Each structure stands twice: as structure tokens, then as C-alpha cells.
Amino acid sequence: EAQVTQNPRYLITVTGKKLTVTCSQNMNHEYMSWYRQDPGLGLRQIYYSMNVEVTDKGDVPEGYKVSRKEKRNFPLILESPSPNQTSLYFCASSLTGRQPQHFGDGTRLSIL
Amino acid sequence: GENVEQHPSTLSVQEGDSAVIKCTYSDSASNYFPWYKQELGKGPQLIIDIRSNVGEKKDQRIAVTLNKTAKHFSLHITETQPEDSAVYFCAASSEDDKIIFGKGTRLHILP
């Protein structure tokens, strides 16, 4: 079954404590991306990757890092989380192009 | 840059009736228009898309229309069913592949 898997699904943590949200896809897709979803603001792209070792900023990259060492994995790293990063995060993948075809089920982050 | 407006923000329709959600975009270079359905606790799911060289596309009970001149596109759901209740997002993407989403429409199907 085609899947994008995110972990954890829920996380409550404190300001400044580094955290990583993992994302893995089993479709051999080249393109992966991260989004955050906030009420009234819709989905906004954080970072994207067109292939292994190729990453680029989306619309709201401040405070986030990503890496793409393997085709299937695209972790999202918050080095020093702050309360304004409390949000619902989605990882997505597509065979080609930045337009997402498959989304994970989301990670709800609460930064206290 | 691109801006996508989506209306209405909430829509309630009687089961069996049709639902229409409308989006407008600002960048005339946009050439790809996907629609996503997001159910509670799930990620968005791509349900239909259209490219700018096509005016209409259908897939069973859902259809999308595109008016390039007016820069608007619409999602039509016919014979609505309870499982159609969800949040729907439109999006627009241009040659550089950047994608901008509308803010979503919460569709309620009333029994």
C-alpha cells in the first residue's frame, strides 16, 4: 500500500528542546515536502526536496531544518522550538514536481 | 506572487444535492489546479486535478471546471453522500512548480 508515514503523531514539548519529526515514503518518489497547517492560514510549505541531497526553502522555512540523505526519508528538525511553531505538520511526496500527491496523516506539535 | 481565494469557507448541503466550491487565482502563469479532500484526523488526499489546457474534467461524482480567462476554477460534487463531509482545499501551481493552497471549505452533508 502506498504510504507516507510520519512519527510521532502527537508531541507536547517545551521551548528550546530539539525535536525531530520523521517522514518516510514507500513509493520511490523523488519529491518530498513539509507543510504546516494553521487555522485560517491553510497549508503552507516549509521545505521541499527534489531528490537525495537536494533541499530548498518553501514559504515559511524560519526555525526549521530538513535533510534528505535517503530517497525514502525526509525528517523535519526543530533545533530550538518556540511556541509559534505549535501547529499541525504534514509530510508529502510526489513522483515528480512540487505538487504533492500523497500526504501523511499529520503530526500535531504543541510547544509550551 | 500567487494568491488563491476559496469560497465558501463553510457549506452545508442536503444529502443527494450538489455542492460547488469556487476558487480564484491571481497568477496567469498558473497551469495546474489540484483539489484535496481532508477528513478528520487525516492528511489531505488528492481527489482530482486539472491542467490549464483543459476546461473540464470528471471522475464519477466529482468534476472540476476551469475558466482561464476569468482565472477561476470550481469543484462540483453531485449526488452528495455522508462520506463527502470533509474539508476541501483547492490549489494553484505555476511553471516553477510552487503550489499555493486556498484556505479550505468545510463541507457538511445533512441527512
Side-chain angles (χ1 to χ4, degrees):
Chain A
E1 182 190 349
Q3 270 189 328
V4 177
T5 304
Q6 297 178 227
N7 281 295
R9 293 291 313 277
Y10 305 91
L11 180 63
I12 301 174
T13 188
V14 296
T15 299
K17 186 176 181 182
K18 181 180 178 180
L19 67 91
T20 299
V21 184
T22 63
C23 174
S24 180
Q25 50 96 1
N26 64 359
M27 295 162 281
N28 202 36
H29 282 174
E30 291 186 350
Y31 191 89
M32 297 185 75
S33 51
W34 276 101
Y35 296 84
R36 60 178 290 173
Q37 185 175 37
D38 300 289
L41 296 177
L43 286 154
R44 294 179 293 167
Q45 192 178 63
I46 302 169
Y47 267 95
Y48 65 96
S49 167
M50 291 191 289
N51 214 324
V52 175
E53 302 293 359
V54 181
T55 64
D56 211 342
K57 296 177 181 178
D59 296 315
V60 287
E62 295 77 20
Y64 304 95
K65 283 176 55 177
V66 292
S67 70
R68 188 91 182 273
K69 291 183 169 49
E70 306 162 283
K71 200 170 188 178
R72 64 182 291 125
N73 296 324
F74 190 45
L76 179 69
I77 303 153
L78 284 71
E79 294 268 5
S80 183
S82 62
N84 64 9
Q85 292 176 299
T86 292
S87 187
L88 180 57
Y89 291 85
F90 290 100
C91 180
S93 74
S94 59
L95 188 57
T96 57
R98 290 173 66 174
Q99 304 93 352
Q101 293 174 310
H102 295 270
F103 281 86
D105 282 337
T107 295
R108 187 168 291 281
L109 283 183
S110 295
I111 316 294
L112 305 177
Chain B
E2 176 67 281
N3 183 47
V4 176
E5 299 281 344
Q6 183 172 346
H7 299 280
S9 56
T10 306
L11 177 62
S12 296
V13 301
Q14 212 67 40
E15 182 178 348
D17 288 350
S18 295
V20 181
I21 302 170
K22 299 181 179 182
C23 288
T24 60
Y25 61 99
S26 60
D27 187 353
S28 55
S30 289
N31 59 5
Y32 176 70
F33 307 92
W35 285 88
Y36 299 88
K37 174 184 180 183
Q38 186 176 18
E39 296 175 335
L40 198 61
K42 298 282 189 181
Q45 176 192 4
L46 177 64
I47 57 171
I48 196 167
D49 56 15
I50 192 168
R51 295 197 179 271
S52 59
N53 58 347
V54 174
E56 183 176 2
K57 185 176 178 180
K58 282 186 180 179
D59 183 3
Q60 299 182 349
R61 294 187 298 107
I62 60 173
V64 57
T65 59
L66 171 64
N67 183 327
K68 284 172 55 180
T69 304
K71 288 190 277 191
H72 65 71
F73 56 112
S74 301
L75 178 72
H76 304 252
I77 306 173
T78 58
E79 301 172 12
T80 53
Q81 299 170 4
E83 54 265 36
D84 295 330
S85 292
V87 178
Y88 292 82
F89 292 94
C90 65
S93 179
S94 57
E95 287 294 333
D96 68 352
D97 281 349
K98 181 171 179 173
I99 188 165
I100 300 296
F101 290 85
K103 290 183 172 44
T105 296
R106 187 172 298 277
L107 176 62
H108 298 277
I109 305 301
L110 306 172

